[in-house]
Amino acid sequence: MSKRGILLVEDNPQDEMLILRGLRKINLANQIDVARDGQQALDYLFGEGEFATGAAVELPTVVLLDIALPRLSGLEVLTRLRADPRTRLLPVVILTSSDEERDRIRSYEGGANSFVRKPLDFAEFAETVANLGIYWLATNEPPPER
């Protein structure tokens, strides 16, 4: 199993804390990095801005992406990821508080691999995130690296 991890793109500190707690609860050894807005997520994934090192970027196994983000929305980030050959196949899970049908439709039309609504109940939230971590990091077979 790859030790590549998760990029969590979340601007709400409380949701970030709950997601990280849920993922750590399952004791996977994978790294979890956090971007707090859409532009920071793209900079991280493409090795630009504050993440520019000149070295090849090792992509995460999966991106957990909120829709409502500052600077660039999650849907704008998704559009950019799917438009670039380096990230076209990168698994992206929309993890959002939105229960709008149009957000779900736009997410799938934009190439999201999954759309998960954040539960309001803390225990259910933690269980949902733990299940996401197990599936995407331990069960799912990721696309081949290019």
Side-chain angles (χ1 to χ4, degrees), residues 16 26 28 34 55 57 62 65 76 79 89 91 113 120 126 136 145:
E16 176 187 332
I26 56 175
L28 291 174
V34 178
V57 174
V62 64
L65 181 62
E76 291 172 306
T79 298
L89 298 178
N113 298 88
L120 298 176
W136 288 103
E145 294 185 42

Side-chain angles (χ1 to χ4, degrees), residues 58-99:
E58 183 177 358
L59 293 175
T61 300
V62 64
V63 176
L64 301 181
L65 181 62
D66 193 11
I67 288 179
L69 295 168
R71 296 174 68 191
L72 290 174
S73 75
L75 294 174
E76 291 172 306
V77 171
L78 181 60
T79 298
R80 297 264 304 273
L81 294 178
R82 293 303 179 242
D84 192 293
R86 297 171 289 178
T87 55
R88 182 172 292 138
L89 298 178
L90 177 64
V92 176
V93 174
I94 302 295
L95 183 59
T96 183
S97 299
S98 173
D99 61 0

Side-chain angles (χ1 to χ4, degrees), residues 18-137:
L18 292 174
I19 293 166
L20 293 175
R21 185 179 298 165
L23 290 170
R24 290 189 179 118
K25 177 181 164 184
I26 56 175
N27 294 320
L28 291 174
N30 304 72
Q31 182 171 328
I32 304 165
D33 293 319
V34 178
R36 293 183 177 86
D37 66 56
Q39 185 60 55
Q40 188 177 44
L42 290 175
D43 287 349
Y44 173 94
L45 291 166
F46 293 121
E48 298 171 349
E50 66 184 284
F51 300 100
T53 63
V57 174
E58 183 177 358
L59 293 175
T61 300
V62 64
V63 176
L64 301 181
L65 181 62
D66 193 11
I67 288 179
L69 295 168
R71 296 174 68 191
L72 290 174
S73 75
L75 294 174
E76 291 172 306
V77 171
L78 181 60
T79 298
R80 297 264 304 273
L81 294 178
R82 293 303 179 242
D84 192 293
R86 297 171 289 178
T87 55
R88 182 172 292 138
L89 298 178
L90 177 64
V92 176
V93 174
I94 302 295
L95 183 59
T96 183
S97 299
S98 173
D99 61 0
E100 296 288 328
E101 184 176 345
R102 73 174 188 260
D103 287 338
R104 189 170 64 246
I105 291 168
R106 289 176 62 204
S107 295
Y108 282 120
E109 286 176 343
N113 298 88
S114 186
F115 184 96
V116 178
R117 190 173 184 291
K118 296 174 187 173
L120 298 176
D121 176 73
F122 168 75
E124 189 179 346
F125 191 111
E127 183 179 342
T128 297
V129 170
N131 288 334
L132 282 172
I134 290 168
Y135 176 76
W136 288 103
L137 296 174

